Amino acid sequence: MRYEAIVIGVSSGGMNAMKVIFSLLPKGFSIPVIIVQHVSAHSNNQWIKLLNDKSNLYIKEADEKEKIENGTIYIAPANYHLMIEKNKTFSLTIDERVNYARPSIDVLFESAAEVYKDKLIGVILTGSNADGTAGLKRIKEYGGLTIVQDPATAESNYMPASAIAAIKPDYILSLVDITDLLIKFDKQNNIQS
């Protein structure tokens, strides 16, 4: 299977989780990674600069109508829902909050599932609400691959536990094992291309 995108949803404890994953993804990792991290509506993007210092890949805020490129990590801007359009560009909206959140993980995951179908990997990490559960379910319905952080290893276990209770994810793993698996899929992509 050739995967075309990875979507990650994360909330409480997300900065530490992303530092682990981004420090381990190697230079040359080609599958685009698109993230919703719950942040304050007034958050500036200084934390993205901090993550860039730990990463081998380029991390940036997603922009309206931006084309999704391989080898880039995109993060939803504060106070905007991030959606993926059929032409694989981003769309930002200020629609109502979903699960008390904007950006919402469900909004990203559901739009990504409709575009990428079975060529999508969905990942739920640490967090303290149920955002992402419905979106991960949609990814699974479209035949995408579903991965959830082992709640026992999460800084906040509510979000991964909610996802596991609602669907049977393909994998339940620690952060390091999730990263190793993503690297394996990227290598398989490169062999097939």
Side-chain angles (χ1 to χ4, degrees), residues 31-147:
I31 306 172
V33 180
I34 306 151
I35 296 165
V36 164
Q37 156 77 61
H38 291 159
V39 291
S40 156
H42 308 293
S43 172
N44 64 26
N45 62 5
Q46 287 303 310
W47 62 279
I48 296 175
K49 290 183 177 72
L50 292 171
L51 287 174
N52 252 316
D53 292 341
K54 305 271 182 219
S55 176
N56 297 308
L57 301 170
Y58 178 49
I59 304 172
K60 70 178 299 293
E61 273 191 355
D63 290 316
E64 176 75 15
K65 304 296 179 212
E66 181 175 10
K67 186 175 187 304
I68 298 168
E69 301 285 350
N70 286 349
T72 304
I73 298 172
Y74 299 95
I75 297 184
N79 210 26
Y80 287 92
H81 290 309
L82 179 62
M83 298 189 308
I84 299 173
E85 300 293 334
K86 297 231 177 290
N87 64 356
K88 297 178 183 161
T89 62
F90 291 121
S91 177
L92 301 174
T93 75
I94 52 169
D95 291 343
E96 289 298 312
R97 294 173 177 271
V98 176
N99 289 312
Y100 311 102
R102 187 175 60 220
S104 162
I105 299 163
D106 282 336
V107 169
L108 170 63
F109 280 22
E110 289 171 6
S111 69
E114 288 175 23
V115 172
Y116 290 105
K117 302 196 173 23
D118 63 348
K119 294 179 173 36
L120 181 66
I121 299 172
V123 184
I124 291 287
L125 302 178
T126 178
S128 54
N129 73 9
D131 192 20
T133 296
L136 199 67
K137 187 173 183 207
R138 182 72 56 87
I139 290 170
K140 194 165 184 70
E141 286 166 359
Y142 274 101
L145 187 84
T146 54
I147 303 171

